[in-house]
Amino acid sequence: MQASHGFELIREQNIPEINSLARLYRHEKTGALFLSLINDDENKSFGINFRTPVSDSTGVAHILEHSVLCGSRKYPVKEPFIELAKSSLNTFLNAFTYPDKTCYPVASQNLQDFYNLIDVYLDTVFHPRLLRQTFEQEGWHYELESKEGELVYRGVVFNEMKGAYASPENALADAVQASLFPDTIYRFDSGGDPEHIPDLTYEQLRAFHARYYHPSNSLTVMYGDDPPEERLRLLNAYFSEFERQEPAPEVPLQPRFSAPRRVVQRYAVGPETADEPNRSMLTVNWLLTETTDIPTMFALMMLDEVLLGTTASPLYKALTDSGLGEEVISWMDRNLRQATFSVGLKGIRSEDADKVEQLVLCTLEKLSDEGLDPGTVEAAFNTVEFGLRENNTGSFPRGLAMMLRALTVWLYGGDPIAALAFEQPLAELREKVAQGGFFEGLIQQYLLSNPHRTTVLLEPDPDLDKKRAEKERARLRHTLAQMSDAEKEQVIANTQRLKEFQTTPDPPEALATIPTLHLEDIERQTKAVPIEVLESRGVPVFYHDLFTNGVLYLDVGFDLHTLPQELLPYLGLFGRALLETGTEKEDFVRLTQRIGQKTGGIYQTLLLSSRRNEKRSAAWFILRGKATPANATELLAILNDVLLTARLDDKERILQLALEEKAQLESRLAPSGSGFVVRRLRAQFSEADMVSELVGGISYLFFLRWFLSAMETEWQTIRENFERMRSLLLQRNAMIANVTVDETHWLQFQPHLEAFLSELPEGSPERAMWKPVFTPHNEGFTIPGQVNHVGMAFDLYAVGYEEHGSVLPIQNYLNTTYLWERVRMEGGAYGAGCGLDRLSGIFAFSSYRDPNLIQTLNNFEGAIRFLREVEISDMERERAIIGAIGDLDAYQLPDAKGYSSMVRQLVGITEEDRQRFREEVLSTTLADFRRLGEALYEASRNSVVGVVGPRERIEAANAERPGLFEIVPVL
C-alpha cells in the first residue's frame, strides 16, 4: 500500500463515465476515509461528512450544523460562515443535515479561495467554539423583556422548522418516513420538531459534537483540478491531531412488516380553504432494499422512471386520468440505509382514500400481468442514460453531486467508486430487460408481493395551527408561572446579554484571521462567451461555439409582445399544452415517448426582464431542447409538430394540467413565501415584473382557480384563446433561435435549422400594448403557519440614481452585516436579504421564515439609515467587492453560458457594459456606500410593503399600525 501524508492508498480506479481518476484512502492514525476524484474540472469541490444518527426530534444534528459554523479555535469570530460569504469567490458554500448524516460542502474555481474555504470548514467542524450564546441564537432560548412581559421562544432553527412544518408536503414526507421506519432512528425528525426543540440542552449539543464530529467518523470527498498531493496534506494537518475512536454505529435495518399498515395524520390549512372537500393527500409507500445493493437500486431507479418519469408514464397517467385528485405525488428516497418508494395523489377527498390506494395497486398488478409498453421503457432508458452522460447539474457543482451520490452507499459500508460508475450496471440492466419481463418482475417482487407497505392519508385541519400555538403558549405560561422572581430576572438578563453578544462587533484582530483573497488576485477582465449573431429566414440566430461534450442545446423564443394582455395568464397552461396534449398524428403518450427516445428533453420557460435604458420589457416564451447531434433533426421535427399541431382543444387533458398547476403553486407558497411577496411587490413598478406576477405569482393562482371554475361554461372561449395564442406567437418575424454546440456540429445542424424555420408562418406581428394592472399598495396574503415572509420594495431609479456596479458589493455588505445581524441573529428569522434589479431599478428587501413582521419592516428601514451613516474599513470594503465578483463570476456549464449570452442580447447588455460594470464593482468607494444610502432613503418614501403569513400575525400588525395591510386570503 502506498502511503503519503499519513494516508494509505486502498484503491485506485479510473472512472471514464465522469472523466476522473478515483483514489480511495484511509488515514492511518484515525481511520478516516477519503475519496479523491482527480480530473480537469476547474470548479473544485470539497465536502466533509459525518455520520450523525439522532435519538429524538430535538433537532440536535441540525442545530449543531448551524452552530459549528459560528466561530472556531483558529477563527474566533461570531460567524466565519458569513465572513466567508462576504469575501469569497465560492461557487458553493453551505451545509446540509440529513436523517443520518451531516455534510459540509464548498466549491470554488479559484485555487487559493478553495484552500481558504477548506481550512475554515475543517477548523469549524473539528474545533468549534460552541458558545452557549451560539446555541441560544441558532437553536432556542427564552426571551423575556420584563417580569410582567410574555415569555417566548426564539431561535433560528426553531423558526426555520416552524416554516417547514407549515408545508403539507413536508408533513407528508415526515409521516411517510416515520410510518416505514417505526423501529429505527428514521422515525425521528433530524431537522427538529418545534414542539421538541426546546427540550434540547446546551450540554447535549456539546456531547453530540464530541461523539460524532471526529475524523474516525468522517467521509471526505474532493474533486477537481487541484493538486492531488496537497489534498492529503491539508486533511492530515487536521486529522493527525486526533486519536482513533469508534465511528458511529451503523443504522440498524428496519425489521420487515408481515402485513401492510395504515396511518392517518393531520396538516394545517387556513380557514379560507377548510371547507373545500378535496384537500387531503394520500401515498402508498414501500420499503425497498438496502441502498448498497447498487445493481438493484439502479434497476429500481429505472423502474421509477418507467412508471412515473413523465405525465405520460403508465402509473402517473392512470392516477391523473382517474379524476380522484389534482396532482400526482411520488418519490424514491435513496438517502437512507434502506430505500423507499412512494406514490399517490394530492387534492383528494378523504372518502376516496381507499379508491386511490386500490388504483395504485390495481394499476401495478395490470402492468405486471400485461407487461409494460416497450416504447415507454425505451424512452425511460434514453432519458436516464442521457442524464448520466450529460452530467448536467446546473449551478450545483458536479463534484458535490458526485459526493452525494457516493454517500448513498458509502455511509452504509458500500463502495463509493462503484456508485459513480454507471456503464456496467446500465449494460447489465439492458441485457436483463432484453430477455423480457424484467421490470414486471421488479413490480411483483418489490411492490405487489412486499408486505412492508404503508398507506398514509393526510387530512386538513383548520384548527391545527391554533392548537400548536396554544400548546406552545400554555407550556410557556406554565414555565413562567414556575419561575421565581430571581429566575425571571435571570432570563431578562440573559435576553439582554444575548442581544449585546449579537450586536457587539467582532474585534478587528479576530476578523483579520479569516483568510481572504485580495483585489490584486481578482481578474479584471470580464470573460466573454463566444457569440455570432446570424439570421435565418428572417429569424435572429445566436450561435455559441462551445465544447458541450456531444450535446446540442437549442432554444426557440417567441416574443410575448404579440399577445394582448388578457391572454398573458394563459401562458403556463399554453406551454404545457404544447408539450403534453399530443399532436395531430400522435397522442400525448406517444409524443412523450418520442421526446424521451430521441432527445434529452424539451421544456418551456419564460424570459421576463426589463431592458437596459428602456421602459419596454423583454418578454419571451421559450422552448428549450437538447439532443445528441445525431438526433438534432429529430428534435426539430418534434418542435415542428408541437408548435403547428399540438392538440390545444383537448379539454380533459387541459383540465388535468390546470389542476396540477394549481396544486403545485399552492404547495410552493409556504416554502417559497418570500419569493412570492417580492414578485408581487415588484409587479407594482415594472412591466416585466407585472407579467411575471400574472404568469407565476399569486395572481396566477387566482387565475387558475377561475379557469377551473370556468372550464364547463366558457370552454369554447378558452379553446379559442389557446388557438389565438398559437397564431399570434408563431410568427417568424417575432422569433429568435439560440444554439450552443461546437463548430463542427453547428455546421451540420445549420441547414436543418433553416429548413425548420422555413416551415413556420412568417407573419406580420403587431406589438400589443400592456397597461399596469397593480396600483401601489400594501398587501398581506394569508396562509397557514406560524412564521412570516416579509417584503418591501421601491423604485430606486425614480429618484435619479443610475445603474452603477458599486451596488453589488454594497448590497452584499448589507446582506452579510446589518440584515444578517438584525433580522436573523437577533430577530430569529431563517433568512433575510436585499437586492437591486439593475435593469428595472426596483430595490427590494425580504425576510424568510420570520417570527416578526413590524420589527422586520423597521429593520429594513434601519438598514437604509445604517448605510447612510456607515463607516467601513478598507478591509471590509475589499471583502465586499471580492464577494460581489464571486456573484458576477458564478460558475456555468456550457448550456447556461449560451443561454445567458442570449439573454444579454435580448435585454440590451453589451460586452462593453459588462466590462464597465465590473470596473465599477472593483473600484467601489465609501462614497458609493453613502450615495446609495441617500438614494435608498429618498426612494423608500414611496415604498410598498407586503407579507405572506398567518392571518393572526397580519391582523396584529394592522392593530399596531391601522390600515397597514389589505388582507388577501390565499390558503
Side-chain angles (χ1 to χ4, degrees), residues 621-643:
F621 170 75
I622 300 173
L623 288 178
R624 307 198 68 194
K626 55 189 173 183
T628 61
N631 278 329
T633 54
E634 292 284 352
L635 172 62
L636 292 172
I638 294 170
L639 288 172
N640 178 282
D641 288 345
V642 299
L643 288 169

Side-chain angles (χ1 to χ4, degrees), residues 212-228:
Y212 296 119
Y213 279 53
H214 189 283
S216 301
N217 192 46
S218 70
L219 302 169
T220 304
V221 180
M222 292 180 73
Y223 167 103
D225 64 358
D226 54 300

Side-chain angles (χ1 to χ4, degrees), residues 599-610:
T599 78
I602 303 172
Y603 65 96
Q604 61 155 327
T605 191
L606 296 174
L607 167 60
L608 300 168
S609 171
S610 297

